[in-house]
Amino acid sequence: MVDRTTNRRVARKPATPSPTLQDVAQAAGVSTATVSRCLNSPELVVEQTRERVLAVVQELGYAPNFGARALAAKRTNTIGAIIPTMENAIFARGLQAFQEELARHGLTLLVASSSYSPKLEEEQIRTLLARGADALLLIGFERSARAYELLQQRGVPYVIAWAYSAGSDHHAIGFDNRAAMRALARQVFGLGHRDVAIIAAPMDSNDRARERVLGIWDAAAEVGLDRDALTLVQTPYSIENGARVMAEILAGPRQPTAVMCGNDVLAVGAMGAARAAGLSVPGDLSITGFDDIEIAGIVTPGLTTVHVPHRQMGIEAARVLATLLSGGAPPVPLLLETQIISRASLGPVSGT
Amino acid sequence: MVDRTTNRRVARKPATPSPTLQDVAQAAGVSTATVSRCLNSPELVVEQTRERVLAVVQELGYAPNFGARALAAKRTNTIGAIIPTMENAIFARGLQAFQEELARHGLTLLVASSSYSPKLEEEQIRTLLARGADALLLIGFERSARAYELLQQRGVPYVIAWAYSAGSDHHAIGFDNRAAMRALARQVFGLGHRDVAIIAAPMDSNDRARERVLGIWDAAAEVGLDRDALTLVQTPYSIENGARVMAEILAGPRQPTAVMCGNDVLAVGAMGAARAAGLSVPGDLSITGFDDIEIAGIVTPGLTTVHVPHRQMGIEAARVLATLLSGGAPPVPLLLETQIISRASLGPVSGT
DNA sequence: TTGTAGGCGTTATCAT
DNA sequence: ATGATAACGCCTACAA
């Protein structure tokens, strides 16, 4: 394939196309049906034949053609997942665990990302279904009615993760974003903070972001603070955005004593900006995050945040789908526990 | 679909299966061939017919069946990418850019991860090919001869990224890991460091990791240091591993004045551990990374590292594949420039 | 236990 | 410009 003289690749189409079931069958001296069985229901074929066939399969490096298989069997053993973004670590760990558990059930993962856009998400759902995904993992409840209709109409099982709602009709596996953030906010207010700013992700079309802000407002109300008393800025998740917004807040008229961020990525950025502005954390300013991703424990000071059981969520989600696909009893929505991780970034309001 | 009385999902298979070309054709009063043409070569069908057909397509929410299409057309407009891991941010940005550029060419991305295992990578190659990937993105040169044979035999175009080798037969788009790390190491030695430890990723089956260590050894030799004089520890990429290994080094007999890490993730972990041990960076200990991912600029002190043009690499890789697929001239391997980013984590050796 | 044969939804080649 | 129709590679009753 390579012309060694000029050391340049020779563009040429395959001399050897992929071997097919036919090829294997012929080489093994059996019918295609038998080869197919060897691969899909080995127990139906007698040991001797099976061994011979599998040897040929090995030798030829045969791999079933996915399209053909999907077409004939009407299932692909493929699970599609649509996550808002692959850029930061938020979903990475959960997805990894999801994948590992799927593999344990003989299922393959197909990932797509929606960039937090409902329109794009719907498109991705369509794409994944056309690609033959047998089931889907979706993040959060919020999406167009059309998207839900599409799923129901096609009868595709799906599970919603990263969010939980008690009375929901959907299979869900997640945690209570609002309650978790409320608990954290109580701590913040309990330490005497009253000038609190919120850096959240864009709340339209992101129920998790919204729920978390609601949690803060809940706690604010408990100490008699009006929600309008809290500065609220929305910006897409990224370290840079967190830093930029924090700089803007610090340049603004009201200096908060604490900044609660919608997630760790924003918080880490905010912390960087605060430090760059010469503020000490938590001396001059307390900062909190959400998620407890790896960097939360690495930054200085350590970030006080809410631990989310990402891996467990991924594993449970995979199990739910596996159960659904094998016709098992539809499990009940599962609520996982979160936990406040107290590190140094949150301290009492500085005495003035 | 949902029984509102008990508020429990009713498990049932679709009343409405996905509409097929047939359905559309029938509803529009044309043949399936015409519908197909409307979708794939609209210019071949007269406007009036086309409009009618497309209206029906809309109405029925028709989406072509991927498997059937792949089977018939023998191409999928899908590009497979096999990256070592999705867990950390190393490949995230480049992959995102890759994806965006692919989309611009009407191509879809399919991601698989190999967990840094050559065996798994080969398996993934097989899987992606079976799934009909028209071309592949691979990371680094090192893989089994079998894997390369498979690719050549099938005539599947592929491009290798994150690495570069001058005399290579492969389409590659990357940077010189060895030279880049050598340049950084020269700075380290230039600042007077002689007790230098290396925290690298496992070097078997990871040419990037190996090249980077070689670069350090190159520079060491230039100042008359034997490579054995440098402590070398290998550990998989993760913040936690970086921290653990650093702790071990600090507990060991020889205290380095500088630690060069194979990438930023390890470096950030190492920095955390150093701080936890009460060392000041760079006062007591200098630390360097590689990649220049986001956290490098966020940690305290900022991490001195090598900037890799991830996005550009992703974009160029996508262009190469698009060109290859459209039968264009095979481009020559492309070498991108890296750049040393000097932040605070690297300082002169403390005077004793 | 194994083989035969029909069909899955598209594309593409011929005709018309 | 459009319509028949033969592949494409595999699965799965059904038969033997």
mmCIF file of all heavy atoms in Angstrom, chain D residues 4-15:
data_model
loop_
_atom_site.group_PDB
_atom_site.id
_atom_site.type_symbol
_atom_site.label_atom_id
_atom_site.label_comp_id
_atom_site.label_asym_id
_atom_site.label_seq_id
_atom_site.Cartn_x
_atom_site.Cartn_y
_atom_site.Cartn_z
ATOM 1 P P DA D 4 -43.665 2.235 -10.778
ATOM 2 O OP1 DA D 4 -45.108 2.243 -10.971
ATOM 3 O OP2 DA D 4 -43.092 2.417 -9.404
ATOM 4 O "O5'" DA D 4 -43.084 0.907 -11.397
ATOM 5 C "C5'" DA D 4 -41.807 0.558 -10.997
ATOM 6 C "C4'" DA D 4 -41.217 -0.462 -11.945
ATOM 7 O "O4'" DA D 4 -39.930 0.044 -12.326
ATOM 8 C "C3'" DA D 4 -40.953 -1.764 -11.210
ATOM 9 O "O3'" DA D 4 -40.768 -2.816 -12.139
ATOM 10 C "C2'" DA D 4 -39.687 -1.432 -10.467
ATOM 11 C "C1'" DA D 4 -38.956 -0.496 -11.449
ATOM 12 N N9 DA D 4 -38.290 0.634 -10.785
ATOM 13 C C8 DA D 4 -38.870 1.623 -10.026
ATOM 14 N N7 DA D 4 -38.017 2.510 -9.576
ATOM 15 C C5 DA D 4 -36.794 2.081 -10.082
ATOM 16 C C6 DA D 4 -35.492 2.575 -9.973
ATOM 17 N N6 DA D 4 -35.202 3.690 -9.296
ATOM 18 N N1 DA D 4 -34.507 1.907 -10.585
ATOM 19 C C2 DA D 4 -34.812 0.797 -11.277
ATOM 20 N N3 DA D 4 -35.995 0.225 -11.468
ATOM 21 C C4 DA D 4 -36.954 0.929 -10.825
ATOM 22 P P DT D 5 -40.616 -4.263 -11.532
ATOM 23 O OP1 DT D 5 -40.786 -5.175 -12.683
ATOM 24 O OP2 DT D 5 -41.500 -4.348 -10.364
ATOM 25 O "O5'" DT D 5 -39.098 -4.316 -11.052
ATOM 26 C "C5'" DT D 5 -38.064 -3.996 -11.991
ATOM 27 C "C4'" DT D 5 -36.711 -4.247 -11.356
ATOM 28 O "O4'" DT D 5 -36.215 -3.029 -10.741
ATOM 29 C "C3'" DT D 5 -36.717 -5.285 -10.238
ATOM 30 O "O3'" DT D 5 -35.499 -5.996 -10.314
ATOM 31 C "C2'" DT D 5 -36.760 -4.449 -8.975
ATOM 32 C "C1'" DT D 5 -35.844 -3.306 -9.406
ATOM 33 N N1 DT D 5 -35.958 -2.052 -8.640
ATOM 34 C C2 DT D 5 -34.862 -1.242 -8.572
ATOM 35 O O2 DT D 5 -33.801 -1.495 -9.104
ATOM 36 N N3 DT D 5 -35.051 -0.086 -7.838
ATOM 37 C C4 DT D 5 -36.202 0.308 -7.196
ATOM 38 O O4 DT D 5 -36.244 1.358 -6.597
ATOM 39 C C5 DT D 5 -37.319 -0.602 -7.312
ATOM 40 C C7 DT D 5 -38.619 -0.259 -6.653
ATOM 41 C C6 DT D 5 -37.142 -1.728 -8.017
ATOM 42 P P DA D 6 -35.432 -7.447 -9.824
ATOM 43 O OP1 DA D 6 -35.996 -8.300 -10.886
ATOM 44 O OP2 DA D 6 -35.984 -7.487 -8.463
ATOM 45 O "O5'" DA D 6 -33.854 -7.687 -9.755
ATOM 46 C "C5'" DA D 6 -33.019 -7.132 -10.764
ATOM 47 C "C4'" DA D 6 -31.766 -6.564 -10.136
ATOM 48 O "O4'" DA D 6 -32.101 -5.361 -9.398
ATOM 49 C "C3'" DA D 6 -31.078 -7.501 -9.141
ATOM 50 O "O3'" DA D 6 -29.686 -7.346 -9.279
ATOM 51 C "C2'" DA D 6 -31.574 -6.991 -7.794
ATOM 52 C "C1'" DA D 6 -31.639 -5.494 -8.062
ATOM 53 N N9 DA D 6 -32.558 -4.752 -7.201
ATOM 54 C C8 DA D 6 -33.821 -5.108 -6.847
ATOM 55 N N7 DA D 6 -34.420 -4.223 -6.080
ATOM 56 C C5 DA D 6 -33.476 -3.224 -5.934
ATOM 57 C C6 DA D 6 -33.486 -2.005 -5.236
ATOM 58 N N6 DA D 6 -34.534 -1.560 -4.530
ATOM 59 N N1 DA D 6 -32.377 -1.246 -5.294
ATOM 60 C C2 DA D 6 -31.335 -1.682 -6.004
ATOM 61 N N3 DA D 6 -31.200 -2.808 -6.694
ATOM 62 C C4 DA D 6 -32.324 -3.536 -6.621
ATOM 63 P P DA D 7 -28.716 -8.365 -8.654
ATOM 64 O OP1 DA D 7 -27.307 -7.818 -8.774
ATOM 65 O OP2 DA D 7 -29.065 -9.668 -9.208
ATOM 66 O "O5'" DA D 7 -29.166 -8.356 -7.117
ATOM 67 C "C5'" DA D 7 -28.182 -8.453 -6.120
ATOM 68 C "C4'" DA D 7 -27.432 -7.138 -5.971
ATOM 69 O "O4'" DA D 7 -28.389 -6.034 -5.950
ATOM 70 C "C3'" DA D 7 -26.682 -7.103 -4.648
ATOM 71 O "O3'" DA D 7 -25.398 -6.575 -4.831
ATOM 72 C "C2'" DA D 7 -27.536 -6.237 -3.749
ATOM 73 C "C1'" DA D 7 -28.333 -5.367 -4.700
ATOM 74 N N9 DA D 7 -29.705 -5.189 -4.212
ATOM 75 C C8 DA D 7 -30.752 -6.060 -4.334
ATOM 76 N N7 DA D 7 -31.866 -5.617 -3.776
ATOM 77 C C5 DA D 7 -31.517 -4.373 -3.269
ATOM 78 C C6 DA D 7 -32.240 -3.400 -2.562
ATOM 79 N N6 DA D 7 -33.523 -3.538 -2.235
ATOM 80 N N1 DA D 7 -31.580 -2.285 -2.195
ATOM 81 C C2 DA D 7 -30.292 -2.157 -2.524
ATOM 82 N N3 DA D 7 -29.513 -2.995 -3.184
ATOM 83 C C4 DA D 7 -30.191 -4.091 -3.531
ATOM 84 P P DC D 8 -24.234 -7.148 -3.978
ATOM 85 O OP1 DC D 8 -22.969 -6.766 -4.662
ATOM 86 O OP2 DC D 8 -24.555 -8.566 -3.720
ATOM 87 O "O5'" DC D 8 -24.329 -6.386 -2.583
ATOM 88 C "C5'" DC D 8 -24.122 -4.986 -2.490
ATOM 89 C "C4'" DC D 8 -24.490 -4.514 -1.118
ATOM 90 O "O4'" DC D 8 -25.893 -4.194 -1.088
ATOM 91 C "C3'" DC D 8 -24.302 -5.588 -0.035
ATOM 92 O "O3'" DC D 8 -23.071 -5.356 0.627
ATOM 93 C "C2'" DC D 8 -25.493 -5.397 0.906
ATOM 94 C "C1'" DC D 8 -26.365 -4.353 0.223
ATOM 95 N N1 DC D 8 -27.802 -4.722 0.122
ATOM 96 C C2 DC D 8 -28.792 -3.782 0.434
ATOM 97 O O2 DC D 8 -28.430 -2.660 0.796
ATOM 98 N N3 DC D 8 -30.099 -4.135 0.347
ATOM 99 C C4 DC D 8 -30.431 -5.366 -0.054
ATOM 100 N N4 DC D 8 -31.719 -5.659 -0.145
ATOM 101 C C5 DC D 8 -29.436 -6.329 -0.386
ATOM 102 C C6 DC D 8 -28.157 -5.972 -0.284
ATOM 103 P P DG D 9 -22.130 -6.601 0.924
ATOM 104 O OP1 DG D 9 -20.775 -6.060 1.104
ATOM 105 O OP2 DG D 9 -22.404 -7.663 -0.053
ATOM 106 O "O5'" DG D 9 -22.656 -7.094 2.339
ATOM 107 C "C5'" DG D 9 -22.571 -6.205 3.438
ATOM 108 C "C4'" DG D 9 -23.313 -6.808 4.603
ATOM 109 O "O4'" DG D 9 -24.715 -6.851 4.298
ATOM 110 C "C3'" DG D 9 -22.916 -8.231 4.959
ATOM 111 O "O3'" DG D 9 -22.690 -8.278 6.349
ATOM 112 C "C2'" DG D 9 -24.079 -9.079 4.492
ATOM 113 C "C1'" DG D 9 -25.238 -8.107 4.646
ATOM 114 N N9 DG D 9 -26.370 -8.344 3.759
ATOM 115 C C8 DG D 9 -26.340 -8.803 2.466
ATOM 116 N N7 DG D 9 -27.528 -8.882 1.917
ATOM 117 C C5 DG D 9 -28.388 -8.441 2.910
ATOM 118 C C6 DG D 9 -29.795 -8.304 2.898
ATOM 119 O O6 DG D 9 -30.584 -8.554 1.982
ATOM 120 N N1 DG D 9 -30.282 -7.823 4.116
ATOM 121 C C2 DG D 9 -29.500 -7.510 5.200
ATOM 122 N N2 DG D 9 -30.126 -7.061 6.265
ATOM 123 N N3 DG D 9 -28.178 -7.629 5.220
ATOM 124 C C4 DG D 9 -27.699 -8.097 4.049
ATOM 125 P P DC D 10 -22.426 -9.580 7.134
ATOM 126 O OP1 DC D 10 -21.467 -9.284 8.201
ATOM 127 O OP2 DC D 10 -22.169 -10.656 6.173
ATOM 128 O "O5'" DC D 10 -23.816 -9.815 7.838
ATOM 129 C "C5'" DC D 10 -24.273 -8.842 8.767
ATOM 130 C "C4'" DC D 10 -25.718 -9.090 9.104
ATOM 131 O "O4'" DC D 10 -26.462 -9.221 7.886
ATOM 132 C "C3'" DC D 10 -25.974 -10.371 9.901
ATOM 133 O "O3'" DC D 10 -26.324 -9.991 11.233
ATOM 134 C "C2'" DC D 10 -27.109 -11.074 9.176
ATOM 135 C "C1'" DC D 10 -27.572 -10.043 8.141
ATOM 136 N N1 DC D 10 -28.004 -10.607 6.850
ATOM 137 C C2 DC D 10 -29.357 -10.609 6.522
ATOM 138 O O2 DC D 10 -30.172 -10.166 7.332
ATOM 139 N N3 DC D 10 -29.742 -11.119 5.326
ATOM 140 C C4 DC D 10 -28.830 -11.592 4.468
ATOM 141 N N4 DC D 10 -29.253 -12.076 3.290
ATOM 142 C C5 DC D 10 -27.439 -11.594 4.790
ATOM 143 C C6 DC D 10 -27.067 -11.096 5.980
ATOM 144 P P DC D 11 -26.525 -11.114 12.324
ATOM 145 O OP1 DC D 11 -26.236 -10.471 13.613
ATOM 146 O OP2 DC D 11 -25.817 -12.337 11.897
ATOM 147 O "O5'" DC D 11 -28.095 -11.372 12.242
ATOM 148 C "C5'" DC D 11 -28.951 -10.322 12.618
ATOM 149 C "C4'" DC D 11 -30.381 -10.749 12.448
ATOM 150 O "O4'" DC D 11 -30.607 -11.143 11.078
ATOM 151 C "C3'" DC D 11 -30.822 -11.935 13.307
ATOM 152 O "O3'" DC D 11 -32.092 -11.599 13.820
ATOM 153 C "C2'" DC D 11 -30.881 -13.099 12.326
ATOM 154 C "C1'" DC D 11 -31.280 -12.381 11.045
ATOM 155 N N1 DC D 11 -30.881 -13.014 9.754
ATOM 156 C C2 DC D 11 -31.851 -13.192 8.752
ATOM 157 O O2 DC D 11 -33.013 -12.852 8.971
ATOM 158 N N3 DC D 11 -31.483 -13.746 7.572
ATOM 159 C C4 DC D 11 -30.217 -14.100 7.355
ATOM 160 N N4 DC D 11 -29.902 -14.614 6.159
ATOM 161 C C5 DC D 11 -29.217 -13.919 8.356
ATOM 162 C C6 DC D 11 -29.590 -13.385 9.529
ATOM 163 P P DT D 12 -32.605 -12.372 15.115
ATOM 164 O OP1 DT D 12 -33.093 -11.380 16.073
ATOM 165 O OP2 DT D 12 -31.595 -13.374 15.499
ATOM 166 O "O5'" DT D 12 -33.842 -13.143 14.507
ATOM 167 C "C5'" DT D 12 -34.443 -12.671 13.305
ATOM 168 C "C4'" DT D 12 -35.441 -13.680 12.827
ATOM 169 O "O4'" DT D 12 -34.963 -14.278 11.607
ATOM 170 C "C3'" DT D 12 -35.694 -14.860 13.776
ATOM 171 O "O3'" DT D 12 -37.015 -15.305 13.547
ATOM 172 C "C2'" DT D 12 -34.684 -15.876 13.300
ATOM 173 C "C1'" DT D 12 -34.806 -15.667 11.788
ATOM 174 N N1 DT D 12 -33.640 -16.083 10.984
ATOM 175 C C2 DT D 12 -33.811 -16.282 9.625
ATOM 176 O O2 DT D 12 -34.869 -16.141 9.063
ATOM 177 N N3 DT D 12 -32.680 -16.655 8.959
ATOM 178 C C4 DT D 12 -31.418 -16.863 9.508
ATOM 179 O O4 DT D 12 -30.473 -17.204 8.810
ATOM 180 C C5 DT D 12 -31.313 -16.631 10.933
ATOM 181 C C7 DT D 12 -29.997 -16.818 11.615
ATOM 182 C C6 DT D 12 -32.424 -16.261 11.594
ATOM 183 P P DA D 13 -37.999 -15.572 14.717
ATOM 184 O OP1 DA D 13 -39.233 -14.861 14.316
ATOM 185 O OP2 DA D 13 -37.339 -15.295 15.992
ATOM 186 O "O5'" DA D 13 -38.228 -17.103 14.664
ATOM 187 C "C5'" DA D 13 -39.407 -17.735 14.349
ATOM 188 C "C4'" DA D 13 -39.982 -17.502 12.984
ATOM 189 O "O4'" DA D 13 -38.949 -17.244 11.990
ATOM 190 C "C3'" DA D 13 -40.730 -18.740 12.509
ATOM 191 O "O3'" DA D 13 -41.887 -18.409 11.773
ATOM 192 C "C2'" DA D 13 -39.703 -19.466 11.654
ATOM 193 C "C1'" DA D 13 -38.827 -18.333 11.109
ATOM 194 N N9 DA D 13 -37.417 -18.714 11.096
ATOM 195 C C8 DA D 13 -36.578 -18.753 12.170
ATOM 196 N N7 DA D 13 -35.347 -19.122 11.874
ATOM 197 C C5 DA D 13 -35.386 -19.344 10.519
ATOM 198 C C6 DA D 13 -34.403 -19.754 9.599
ATOM 199 N N6 DA D 13 -33.149 -20.027 9.940
ATOM 200 N N1 DA D 13 -34.791 -19.889 8.312
ATOM 201 C C2 DA D 13 -36.055 -19.604 7.971
ATOM 202 N N3 DA D 13 -37.059 -19.210 8.740
ATOM 203 C C4 DA D 13 -36.654 -19.093 10.012
ATOM 204 P P DC D 14 -43.028 -19.483 11.671
ATOM 205 O OP1 DC D 14 -44.185 -18.835 11.024
ATOM 206 O OP2 DC D 14 -43.167 -20.140 12.987
ATOM 207 O "O5'" DC D 14 -42.392 -20.547 10.659
ATOM 208 C "C5'" DC D 14 -42.075 -20.120 9.330
ATOM 209 C "C4'" DC D 14 -41.362 -21.230 8.608
ATOM 210 O "O4'" DC D 14 -39.957 -21.223 8.962
ATOM 211 C "C3'" DC D 14 -41.883 -22.641 8.931
ATOM 212 O "O3'" DC D 14 -42.268 -23.260 7.725
ATOM 213 C "C2'" DC D 14 -40.697 -23.335 9.595
ATOM 214 C "C1'" DC D 14 -39.517 -22.557 9.024
ATOM 215 N N1 DC D 14 -38.291 -22.564 9.860
ATOM 216 C C2 DC D 14 -37.048 -22.784 9.250
ATOM 217 O O2 DC D 14 -36.997 -22.975 8.023
ATOM 218 N N3 DC D 14 -35.928 -22.790 10.035
ATOM 219 C C4 DC D 14 -36.029 -22.584 11.340
ATOM 220 N N4 DC D 14 -34.900 -22.592 12.058
ATOM 221 C C5 DC D 14 -37.281 -22.359 11.977
ATOM 222 C C6 DC D 14 -38.382 -22.357 11.209
ATOM 223 P P DA D 15 -42.912 -24.750 7.777
ATOM 224 O OP1 DA D 15 -44.182 -24.697 7.036
ATOM 225 O OP2 DA D 15 -42.862 -25.269 9.161
ATOM 226 O "O5'" DA D 15 -41.829 -25.528 6.898
ATOM 227 C "C5'" DA D 15 -40.624 -24.863 6.586
ATOM 228 C "C4'" DA D 15 -39.708 -25.723 5.759
ATOM 229 O "O4'" DA D 15 -38.403 -25.677 6.367
ATOM 230 C "C3'" DA D 15 -40.046 -27.211 5.689
ATOM 231 O "O3'" DA D 15 -39.512 -27.729 4.488
ATOM 232 C "C2'" DA D 15 -39.381 -27.758 6.940
ATOM 233 C "C1'" DA D 15 -38.109 -26.891 7.027
ATOM 234 N N9 DA D 15 -37.717 -26.596 8.396
ATOM 235 C C8 DA D 15 -38.553 -26.313 9.464
ATOM 236 N N7 DA D 15 -37.914 -26.095 10.584
ATOM 237 C C5 DA D 15 -36.570 -26.230 10.234
ATOM 238 C C6 DA D 15 -35.373 -26.129 10.968
ATOM 239 N N6 DA D 15 -35.369 -25.824 12.272
ATOM 240 N N1 DA D 15 -34.227 -26.325 10.322
ATOM 241 C C2 DA D 15 -34.246 -26.610 9.025
ATOM 242 N N3 DA D 15 -35.301 -26.743 8.214
ATOM 243 C C4 DA D 15 -36.439 -26.539 8.897
#
